[in-house]
């Protein structure tokens, strides 16, 4: 039987990735921080073995598996992905170290491939921080740590003799997300009829529904070229304002929008500089869930959840 290791297994993306791996016939070693971690997202299956291992101790993972082997290692564990923790440079530096430690653990487990969860914010950091007279907030500690970790892990994988796949994740949303990130937060504000303040929304974004995202990650992990970077997104970016207006039309058509009420000091990404179509071109991947359908399903899930909370 095919076997895979997933760190960050109880997170939004990690738990959905496990579901997709089960569909692909894998047995999964689900790595979570501790027995106190919230396990509700991890699916119930006899093909899942939960391993309790903090990222700082990831080097001990092979011992915890008692000689078991695996073919794929997905490193989706990362501390401080949202809020003020993004600006904790010590925490973010440690994340880069843990990622390299995870590669060494993967080698001891006999893994053929190591799949790293990168971020579109790596490109944002490169585009913005290379400019003069910028206003770089502490949140860039997160994106620069992701950028550095990606390169460091690639080197470490080469040293360990493991094939490396870098997944550049754009903006994932959908049922099960409770992160307070843009889509989740905006839908909740619309439902609660809160004031809706935005930037001008002229910057381009790309959103992908969670089920499509994990399918793309699995395809890249199994069929991607070693040492390659694969962009995980729908591949058809639009202005943020257009996405917000589409959300309004679905969630609360009467909502009053205040575009330009907030300043925007970040980069304007040129998606032409990113190989957004590589998965489609090389591996025939096509997203199945439109943004509008994804928002409708997410809205209904949030309404149902808040009704029972």
């Amino acid at each position: 039987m095919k076997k895979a290791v997933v760190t960050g297994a109880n997170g939004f993306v990690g738990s959905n990735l496990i579901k997709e791996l089960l569909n692909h016939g894998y047995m999964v070693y689900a790595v979570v921080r501790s027995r106190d971690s919230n396990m509700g997202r991890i699916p119930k299956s006899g093909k899942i073995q939960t391993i309790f291992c903090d990222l700082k101790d990831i080097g001990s993972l092979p011992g915890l598996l008692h000689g078991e082997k695996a073919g794929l290692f997905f490193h989706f564990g990362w501390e401080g992905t949202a809020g003020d923790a993004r600006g904790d440079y010590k925490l973010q530096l440690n994340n880069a170290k843990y990622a390299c430690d995870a590669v060494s653990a993967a080698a001891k487990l006999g893994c053929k491939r190591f799949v790293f969860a990168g971020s579109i914010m790596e490109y944002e950091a490169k585009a913005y921080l290379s400019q003069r007279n910028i206003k770089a907030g502490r949140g860039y500690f997160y994106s620069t740590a992701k950028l550095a970790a990606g390169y460091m892990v690639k080197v470490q994988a080469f040293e360990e003799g493991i094939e490396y796949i870098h997944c550049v994740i754009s903006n994932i949303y959908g049922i099960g997300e409770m992160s307070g990130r843009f889509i989740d937060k905006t839908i909740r504000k619309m439902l609660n009829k809160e004031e809706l303040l935005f930037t001008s929304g002229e910057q381009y974004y790309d959103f992908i529904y969670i089920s499509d995202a994990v399918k793309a990650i699995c395809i890249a992990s199994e069929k991607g070229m070693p040492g390659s970077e694969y962009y995980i997104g729908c591949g058809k970016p639009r202005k943020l304002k257009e996405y917000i207006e589409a959300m309004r039309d679905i969630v609360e058509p009467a909502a009053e929008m205040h575009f330009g009420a907030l300043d925007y000091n970040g980069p304007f990404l040129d998606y032409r500089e990113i190989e957004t179509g590589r998965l489609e071109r090389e591996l025939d991947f096509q997203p199945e869930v439109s943004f509008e359908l994804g928002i409708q399903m997410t809205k209904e899930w949030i309404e149902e959840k808040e009704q029972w909370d």
Side-chain angles (χ1 to χ4, degrees), residues 215-232:
K215 286 177 183 176
I217 292 167
C218 279
I219 290 172
S221 71
E222 291 185 327
K223 300 179 180 179
M225 292 290 292
S228 295
E229 176 181 289
Y230 289 95
Y231 174 81
I232 309 299

Side-chain angles (χ1 to χ4, degrees), residues 10 40 74 76 120 129 154 156 174 198 204 217 230 244 280 282 288-289 309:
N10 60 331
F74 295 86
F76 282 63
I120 190 64
L129 297 178
K154 188 172 186 177
Q156 186 69 10
F198 303 104
Y204 278 80
I217 292 167
Y230 289 95
I244 295 171
E280 178 181 356
E282 293 184 7
E288 297 176 357
V289 180
D309 280 352

Side-chain angles (χ1 to χ4, degrees), residues 123-136 140 264-270 273:
Y123 280 89
E124 292 180 1
K126 287 190 285 187
Y128 188 58
L129 297 178
S130 62
Q131 301 176 31
R132 296 181 179 180
N133 301 319
I134 59 172
K135 298 178 181 179
Y140 279 98
Y264 179 68
N265 295 316
F268 282 77
L269 278 182
D270 185 349
E273 297 179 359

Side-chain angles (χ1 to χ4, degrees), residues 72-253:
L72 293 176
F73 195 114
F74 295 86
H75 188 57
F76 282 63
W78 191 278
E79 297 180 0
T81 59
D84 292 341
R86 280 187 171 182
D88 185 337
Y89 73 86
K90 293 181 179 179
L91 176 65
Q92 299 302 336
L93 282 171
N94 281 335
N95 279 321
K97 176 187 181 300
Y98 302 153
C100 291
D101 292 342
V103 177
S104 297
K108 293 176 182 176
L109 289 167
C111 294
K112 180 182 178 182
R113 285 195 163 187
F114 187 93
V115 183
F116 180 68
S119 169
I120 190 64
M121 295 184 74
E122 298 169 35
Y123 280 89
E124 292 180 1
K126 287 190 285 187
Y128 188 58
L129 297 178
S130 62
Q131 301 176 31
R132 296 181 179 180
N133 301 319
I134 59 172
K135 298 178 181 179
R138 296 183 64 86
Y140 279 98
F141 284 135
Y142 166 77
S143 51
T144 51
K146 276 285 188 181
L147 180 62
Y151 287 125
M152 294 169 71
V153 167
K154 188 172 186 177
V155 173
Q156 186 69 10
F158 177 78
E159 289 293 315
E160 298 283 2
I162 299 177
E163 294 177 355
Y164 175 63
I165 299 290
H166 188 89
C167 289
V168 177
I169 296 173
S170 58
N171 297 278
I172 300 177
Y173 73 99
I175 290 175
E177 184 182 17
M178 296 176 287
S179 66
R181 297 193 308 147
F182 186 78
I183 294 290
D184 176 54
K185 180 170 65 176
T186 302
I187 290 178
R188 293 175 191 275
K189 281 188 173 183
M190 288 179 174
L191 289 173
N192 295 327
K193 295 179 169 51
E194 297 178 29
E195 190 175 25
L196 299 168
L197 307 179
F198 303 104
T199 66
S200 63
E202 293 299 310
Q203 64 272 39
Y204 278 80
Y205 267 69
D206 185 13
F207 293 97
I208 184 169
Y209 190 71
I210 181 63
S211 60
D212 282 331
V214 293
K215 286 177 183 176
I217 292 167
C218 279
I219 290 172
S221 71
E222 291 185 327
K223 300 179 180 179
M225 292 290 292
S228 295
E229 176 181 289
Y230 289 95
Y231 174 81
I232 309 299
C234 76
K236 298 178 181 178
R238 289 190 263 170
K239 288 184 178 180
L240 181 60
K241 184 177 182 179
E242 295 178 18
Y243 281 115
I244 295 171
E245 290 172 339
M247 292 170 64
R248 175 204 59 199
D249 293 345
I250 294 167
V251 179
E252 183 52 58

Side-chain angles (χ1 to χ4, degrees), residues 39-69:
M39 308 289 287
R41 283 175 166 161
I42 299 178
K44 307 298 182 184
S45 172
K47 294 182 179 180
I48 299 173
Q49 181 179 338
T50 304
I51 309 296
F52 299 104
C53 183
D54 195 288
L55 286 179
K56 71 178 187 298
D57 302 317
I58 198 67
S60 67
L61 184 61
L64 295 174
L65 288 177
H66 306 292
E68 293 292 324
K69 300 296 182 182

